[in-house]
Amino acid sequence: MAPSPHNNQPWVARAAPDGMILRLDHQLLPLLGPDRVQFIALGAFIENMSIAAAVDGYRLTVDELPTVPRRTSEITVRFRDGAKPSGHAAIMLEGAKRRRTNRGRYESILPSGVTEQLRAVPCEPATSLTLISGAADRSAASDLAARAMHVLFSVPELRRDLAPFVFTSADAPRRIGMPIESLNPAASTKVPGSQWALELASADEEAEAARARFEHAPLHFVVSSRTDTLPGWIAGGRTLQRVLVTATVLGLSHCLAAGPSEIPTLLPALRRLVDDCEGRPLILGRLGVPSFPEQAIAAPRRPIGDFLIGS
Amino acid sequence: MIEILDPATDWLRIESLLDSATGIRLVSAWEAALPELASLDLPHLSPGSADAKASLDEYFRTVWTEANIEAASRYVFFPWRGTIVRLPDADLFWRLRTARNRYLIDEGEQREWSAALIGITGLSVGASVLAASSLTGARRFRLAERDTLGPTNLNRLAGSVCDFGEPKLTLAMRRTLEADPYSDLEAFPAGYAPEVADAFIGTGDAERLSVLVEEMDDLALKVDIRFKARAAHVPVVMVTDNGDNAILDVERFDLDSGYPLFHGLAGDLAASPADLNDPIQRVNIASAIVGSQITPRTRFSLTQVGRTLPSWPQLGTAATVGGALGALAARYIACGVPLPSGRYRVDLDEILLGARAHEASRWNELDEAEFLAGLKAVYGA
């Protein structure tokens, strides 16, 4: 389904007469943010709804969004009938259901034709997709992913933000978060995930692992938006989800790295990787055929009743 | 003192004030406020980037249309300035004014501090406490002072020679309102007196003070207001000059209704009321309250009061640091930070000079023994 930071699935929805009203679930947000990635996740969630609606002949529209992102911002989506049920949408919906993050290594060769099909993914207005296939640029992107991972495990408050979202078999079952096997297959499953995140994970090792995984991936991508505002983030999330679902349909796995676009010292280098006129880089990702498909472990999903609230 | 006018309902009054015949000047705050609002609403933008420019264009186009600006404006008339300021409304102004406090004072603390009702009696050092409190976001005050501004005040009180003869209360209110017109100020222009205790402290129908900052010179009134504050469970903060240093006294009558006045340093004033009109008694009690742990120059100066000095000498450095100290203590109390009763010292000279700060080597410096001997000789203390 929709990707989200640490798989926190930060959305809440309530029914409206001809659609839904969505907002961030405040209980699932980190204390300080960043909120950009949370709204990108909400955009991806909206895109999933759009795909599902299209299967049944409905067209999803998003009401005009406020420019200023606030945690309390409400987003109204409406379903317009009269569209023709779409076979392509059905394929995409199946892809959305199968979509899994795979943080393992990818094969260095891409199946033929997939780059062109990804390049043809229709982007939301005022957003763009940059595909990075050249070795030098991929090396630069890998360095950014490694440095972001190093920052994540070097800054205590970021580790504390991550800790509640990592779980192992030693933890009680979760409705959100990431199983440790999907993060680091070599990590012990006998200690609570929070202990791994807070005490055991090595910044150097995690950074080098991220570098290796990105370097082996044959294709990287960056989704950007023309503006760094709420409409830009929601639209960027929708474009991101189209790319991920299309990649899934094409038999590719993916893994995202938000750090390079969120860490101020890394952002300039990420900007240099994409053309400045593409706008604000929102997220970096890698695509490829997974070397170890079993590492695409299904993370828990909140049941609908958990995020669909009464009006 | 000021008029806050809403263009939706007060347009006639605004127009009449802005008539060119009145000579009233119009200042718009929005030119300065809009870029700052943008930086608060979109703090994540990368300066100089194309997407930042596009984001700001979208922001100003959609959020701050001229109609939206007018709806969010209040016209504030400052008669003593002959000026009307077109200002963001109370909520927006509050957001702007406290923006640089963020995380240093968290949102809950900022709300509690702005909602707290701070009483200040005596607007010499008290004016410094008022200024620092207002700067950090307090906006509800009861102020009592009957004195007027004179030239000798200007060594410690931010003032202007243009205002000689004006009530210190008026000047303090003007300064506070010019920095935050939405402040809620209640004035006691005759100063504190036992007759206004109920209204000032809030023991009758009036709202009870959250914190009392007591900065009066009159010992009898200092004692009286403490008895009343203790009975009303109102905590008291007092800052005293000590050379370039400041001494803070905190009396948590809100937590301990039996806490002795002045930490008991003046004896049990309730059990054996002193004759506070007797000058010798006054000096003895004041000396007991302040103690002898003061700077060598303060010791010397105190022995000169009534002889070569008309009153307790004070420095602008001490008034400034005392203002910050008193405001911080009041904020801690208002925000529920544990701050026990007691005496606290900020000794700037010791920070800069170390032990040398305590040496009495010049003609205008006394060590503790000399000071106590002098007091005893002169006052029998």
Side-chain angles (χ1 to χ4, degrees), chain B residues 4-304:
Chain B
I4 299 179
L5 303 164
D6 183 342
T9 54
D10 304 318
W11 187 242
L12 285 176
R13 173 69 177 151
I14 294 168
E15 276 192 336
S16 72
L17 289 169
L18 289 178
D19 188 301
S20 59
T22 64
I24 292 171
R25 186 172 67 115
L26 174 66
V27 172
S28 175
W30 285 97
E31 284 69 23
L34 282 174
E36 293 186 335
L37 280 168
S39 71
L40 297 182
D41 280 336
L42 304 172
H44 49 266
L45 297 185
S46 308
S49 65
D51 44 275
K53 184 179 181 310
S55 301
L56 288 171
D57 288 348
E58 180 180 302
Y59 174 78
F60 289 121
R61 192 185 69 249
T62 60
V63 179
W64 291 118
T65 61
E66 182 50 41
N68 287 351
I69 290 174
E70 184 67 350
S73 289
R74 295 295 178 271
Y75 289 75
V76 185
F77 177 41
F78 298 90
W80 63 91
R81 287 271 208 164
T83 300
I84 288 184
V85 183
R86 189 189 189 213
L87 198 68
D89 65 21
D91 289 345
L92 278 171
F93 186 77
W94 175 244
R95 200 167 156 237
L96 286 160
R97 190 143 185 283
T98 58
R100 299 295 283 270
N101 296 353
R102 286 187 70 207
Y103 301 145
L104 301 177
I105 301 175
D106 70 33
E107 282 181 36
E109 291 166 341
Q110 195 73 75
R111 275 195 300 274
E112 285 178 300
W113 185 221
S114 68
L117 179 56
I118 313 299
I120 303 179
T121 55
L123 288 173
S124 181
V125 172
S128 283
V129 179
L130 170 64
S133 299
S134 174
L135 280 173
T136 48
R139 54 185 357 190
R140 301 182 65 225
F141 298 97
R142 270 188 201 135
L143 305 172
E145 173 64 89
R146 53 187 250 180
D147 200 5
T148 55
L149 184 72
T152 61
N153 296 134
L154 291 183
N155 77 324
R156 63 192 183 282
L157 190 61
S160 162
V161 295
C162 304
D163 292 323
F164 284 151
E166 287 281 348
K168 288 179 182 173
L169 176 67
T170 301
L171 299 175
M173 291 175 72
R174 285 179 183 173
R175 277 194 298 274
T176 306
L177 290 169
E178 286 190 19
D180 182 357
Y182 302 107
S183 295
D184 174 10
L185 307 180
E186 191 177 351
F188 288 72
Y192 174 79
E195 301 75 54
V196 299
D198 284 347
F200 190 85
I201 295 171
T203 46
D205 293 336
E207 180 182 347
R208 195 173 60 172
L209 294 178
S210 308
V211 183
L212 167 64
V213 179
E214 189 281 297
E215 297 296 341
M216 294 181 287
D217 294 333
D218 187 299
L219 186 59
L221 293 179
K222 291 171 96 69
V223 171
D224 180 82
I225 201 169
R226 275 175 174 73
F227 277 123
K228 307 278 173 48
R230 187 166 71 175
H233 307 291
V234 170
V236 176
V237 164
M238 176 177 73
V239 183
T240 307
D241 304 63
N242 173 24
D244 289 292
N245 306 326
I247 299 169
L248 167 72
D249 286 289
V250 176
E251 296 162 277
R252 295 300 303 265
F253 298 134
D254 54 327
L255 304 178
D256 179 1
S257 58
Y259 191 77
L261 271 55
F262 303 109
H263 322 300
L265 293 167
D268 188 348
L269 292 164
S272 53
D275 181 2
L276 299 174
N277 292 317
D278 174 47
I280 301 292
Q281 283 257 43
R282 268 208 314 263
V283 172
N284 285 342
I285 291 173
S287 301
I289 292 169
V290 175
S292 56
Q293 288 184 316
I294 48 182
T295 70
R297 291 190 184 199
T298 305
R299 289 185 193 122
F300 178 83
S301 301
L302 290 184
T303 64
Q304 296 300 308

Side-chain angles (χ1 to χ4, degrees), chain A residues 219-300:
Chain A
L219 189 61
H220 296 173
F221 70 92
V222 176
V223 172
S224 305
S225 62
R226 191 179 65 81
T227 62
D228 200 11
T229 59
L230 181 58
W233 300 349
I234 294 295
R238 296 191 66 182
T239 295
L240 170 68
Q241 184 67 351
R242 279 179 208 162
V243 173
L244 300 184
V245 172
T246 302
T248 303
V249 169
L250 295 171
L252 304 182
S253 282
H254 62 269
C255 178
L256 302 173
S261 61
E262 294 296 337
I263 297 168
T265 50
L266 303 183
L267 178 61
L270 186 63
R271 284 181 179 278
R272 285 193 291 275
L273 270 179
V274 298
D275 193 333
D276 252 355
C277 68
E278 298 293 339
R280 207 282 185 194
L282 297 179
I283 199 155
L284 169 70
R286 62 189 170 104
L287 297 165
V289 176
S291 304
F292 305 100
E294 66 276 13
Q295 275 194 261
I297 295 168

Side-chain angles (χ1 to χ4, degrees), chain B residues 322-355:
Chain B
L325 192 58
L328 180 60
R331 194 177 89 220
Y332 281 166
I333 293 170
C335 296
V337 177
L339 176 65
S341 294
R343 171 160 292 179
Y344 304 83
R345 296 172 182 279
V346 174
D347 292 335
L348 296 181
D349 54 6
E350 189 176 285
I351 292 169
L352 297 177
L353 301 176

